Amino acid sequence: MSDKKTALTVLSAALLVPAMLAVPAHAAPAPPADGKGQPPKAPAAPAPPASMSTVGGALLGKPGVQVNPLAGAPALPTNLTGRSWIVADAKTGEVLAANNAHWRLPPASTLKMLFADTVLPSLPKDQVHKVTEQEMEGIGAGSSLVGVKEDHEYSVHDLWLGVFLRSGNDAVHVLSAMNGGIDKTVKDMQAHAEELQALDTHVVSPDGYDAPEQVSSAYDLTLIARSGLQKQDFREYCGTASAKFPGSQEPGKPREYFEIQNTNRLMTGANGLSPYKGIAGVKNGNTTMAGATFTGAAQQGDKKLLVTVMDPSAGGLNSVYEETADLFDWGFAAIGKVKPVGELVPPKSADTSSIGSPARSHEHNPSAAGEGDGVGTALGVAGGALAVIAAGAYVVNRRWPRGPRGRRDGDQAAD
């Protein structure tokens, strides 16, 4: 009997040894060695191109942070992690500071600013459209939606609210169909980007959904936002914090409505953030390829700024908004205390005879003579219809004032 017990004990121990030596199911497997017995290093973060477009000035084509502080200038925030960002004075078009401004990166839903600026003028806001099944096809998996339903009627006004407040790709697809289809809309957007001299931008889908080779830049998104803010309807939509959106539509019954809120957290103060004082829009985005992106406009007193931040690496749901707010704070304090590192260029069709030569594309030789001269100023902020937006008002007109080089003695940019 003792021999049997001994045999059982040995057998049990033999069975237990492999189990004790096995890696638990929940443990992470060890990374493969690099041939020298060491785990491989984590891949380095992508570096910006050594040479980028110099539209707006030679410094904007250089990688890294570009800023020229004068006496009394505040220091830039120390917590900035965006792969690309830009701060521009909207009144003069001067770029106060930038980081990889022309780095061509996925834009996510900030590209909807270009969609709106392109298509919005061609569709009357009171036009009513009945959605078809075909118009709802091709919407990317996981897309943000406002809740458009086939066989239901919506006004153009309703659909634009769905685009700006909820970043609804369903609303984008319907408006694109009303504009002649997705392919035509993409071509229209690309042509408009080239007119604005947003030459880093390549459009593949009108809603900003991740697609190979679909890119823009912090510089371009700022140009696009500036153009859009010259349109009263654009200002209204991007500056609306909440609205009622049409719901179910059954025969013989009143139309149902539900509330939608703007996903711009600097406007609504959602997710633990406080609304930014003077925020005026414009558009946020977030996809797997792009990370978080945001272009914002804000006004405090007579100072008006445009800020774009792309793909901060700090992590967290609020990082892109927090870094934008920090850059707004810096910009409002820095106006008049920094030497501009570049300028926002006017559209091709604008009269630039007094302020310089046309912009050059990103394919142009950056070492060519005259590349760093820039091409005048861009955004005139003055009269026009007032749009009350969140905590402030942001007013723009279509005048493109002369910049510092083209300004006559005594001339000032319109306010």
Side-chain angles (χ1 to χ4, degrees), residues 35-51:
K36 299 180 181 179
Q38 298 295 326
K41 296 181 179 180
S51 177

Side-chain angles (χ1 to χ4, degrees), residues 117-199:
D117 196 38
T118 302
V119 176
L120 192 155
S122 65
L123 299 176
K125 64 192 304 182
D126 57 354
Q127 180 179 345
V128 176
H129 178 76
K130 188 173 184 178
V131 177
T132 69
E133 181 179 355
Q134 291 74 21
E135 293 166 354
M136 300 293 285
E137 294 176 352
I139 299 174
S143 289
S144 53
L145 305 172
V146 66
V148 175
K149 296 182 179 180
E150 62 188 65
D151 297 325
H152 285 51
E153 292 183 341
Y154 301 88
S155 69
V156 168
H157 175 78
D158 293 330
L159 293 170
W160 282 121
L161 287 172
V163 171
F164 277 98
L165 272 67
R166 298 304 303 171
S167 205
N169 288 5
D170 46 359
V172 170
H173 274 245
V174 175
L175 289 165
S176 296
M178 297 175 69
N179 185 58
I182 296 292
D183 291 344
K184 177 182 180 297
T185 299
V186 167
K187 291 179 181 178
D188 291 347
M189 291 170 64
Q190 190 66 57
H192 188 53
E194 292 171 5
E195 156 63 16
L196 296 178
Q197 307 206 63
L199 304 180

Side-chain angles (χ1 to χ4, degrees), residues 294-367:
F294 182 67
T295 296
Q299 175 178 348
Q300 293 185 6
D302 64 348
K303 299 176 180 178
K304 302 175 178 72
L305 292 177
L306 292 164
V307 171
T308 296
V309 175
M310 302 185 76
D311 193 20
S313 62
L317 297 176
N318 291 332
S319 294
V320 74
Y321 302 103
E322 292 168 344
E323 295 189 20
T324 298
D326 288 342
L327 286 170
F328 272 135
D329 288 344
W330 176 85
F332 284 122
I335 290 178
K337 299 177 182 178
V338 294
K339 181 181 178 181
V341 296
E343 54 193 354
L344 303 177
V345 297
K348 288 181 179 178
S349 60
D351 180 8
T352 62
S353 58
S354 64
I355 57 176
S357 58
R360 296 168 173 85
S361 76
H362 64 278
E363 296 174 347
H364 190 79
N365 179 4
S367 64

Side-chain angles (χ1 to χ4, degrees), residues 265-266 268-276 317-322 325:
R265 293 175 189 164
L266 288 187
T268 63
N271 203 46
L273 284 178
S274 298
Y276 190 82
L317 297 176
N318 291 332
S319 294
V320 74
Y321 302 103
E322 292 168 344

Side-chain angles (χ1 to χ4, degrees), residues 9-331:
T9 300
V10 171
L11 177 62
S12 299
L15 292 173
L16 285 172
V17 168
M20 294 171 64
L21 295 177
V23 179
H26 62 272
D34 63 0
K36 299 180 181 179
Q38 298 295 326
K41 296 181 179 180
S51 177
M52 294 173 279
S53 167
T54 53
V55 171
L59 289 178
L60 298 181
K62 294 183 177 181
V65 174
Q66 307 299 325
V67 62
N68 289 325
L70 302 174
L76 280 167
T78 59
N79 61 337
L80 301 176
T81 66
R83 295 172 73 186
S84 176
W85 53 259
I86 191 171
V87 184
D89 183 332
K91 291 171 62 177
T92 65
E94 296 172 340
V95 177
L96 306 182
N99 177 48
N100 304 320
H102 281 290
W103 194 355
R104 307 178 83 195
L105 298 168
S109 286
T110 47
L111 194 66
K112 288 183 172 78
M113 295 187 299
L114 178 60
F115 169 71
D117 196 38
T118 302
V119 176
L120 192 155
S122 65
L123 299 176
K125 64 192 304 182
D126 57 354
Q127 180 179 345
V128 176
H129 178 76
K130 188 173 184 178
V131 177
T132 69
E133 181 179 355
Q134 291 74 21
E135 293 166 354
M136 300 293 285
E137 294 176 352
I139 299 174
S143 289
S144 53
L145 305 172
V146 66
V148 175
K149 296 182 179 180
E150 62 188 65
D151 297 325
H152 285 51
E153 292 183 341
Y154 301 88
S155 69
V156 168
H157 175 78
D158 293 330
L159 293 170
W160 282 121
L161 287 172
V163 171
F164 277 98
L165 272 67
R166 298 304 303 171
S167 205
N169 288 5
D170 46 359
V172 170
H173 274 245
V174 175
L175 289 165
S176 296
M178 297 175 69
N179 185 58
I182 296 292
D183 291 344
K184 177 182 180 297
T185 299
V186 167
K187 291 179 181 178
D188 291 347
M189 291 170 64
Q190 190 66 57
H192 188 53
E194 292 171 5
E195 156 63 16
L196 296 178
Q197 307 206 63
L199 304 180
D200 299 322
T201 299
H202 180 66
V203 183
V204 177
S205 64
D207 51 22
Y209 192 82
D210 284 341
E213 299 184 4
Q214 179 153 271
V215 291
S216 189
S217 66
Y219 184 88
D220 281 14
L221 293 173
T222 307
L223 289 183
I224 294 163
R226 172 203 59 189
S227 178
L229 287 166
Q230 294 180 44
K231 300 173 176 63
Q232 181 180 355
D233 287 347
F234 187 105
R235 295 199 304 271
E236 174 192 345
Y237 295 131
C238 80
T240 299
S242 63
K244 298 292 184 180
F245 193 81
S248 298
Q249 184 179 6
E250 298 182 10
K253 294 183 179 181
R255 185 75 178 265
E256 295 180 1
Y257 288 82
F258 57 93
E259 185 171 332
I260 57 175
Q261 288 191 331
N262 201 313
T263 53
N264 175 356
R265 293 175 189 164
L266 288 187
M267 179 175 294
T268 63
N271 203 46
L273 284 178
S274 298
Y276 190 82
K277 180 182 177 181
I279 191 68
V282 277
K283 192 70 188 75
N284 57 309
N286 198 318
T287 65
T288 301
M289 290 176 62
T293 59
F294 182 67
T295 296
Q299 175 178 348
Q300 293 185 6
D302 64 348
K303 299 176 180 178
K304 302 175 178 72
L305 292 177
L306 292 164
V307 171
T308 296
V309 175
M310 302 185 76
D311 193 20
S313 62
L317 297 176
N318 291 332
S319 294
V320 74
Y321 302 103
E322 292 168 344
E323 295 189 20
T324 298
D326 288 342
L327 286 170
F328 272 135
D329 288 344
W330 176 85

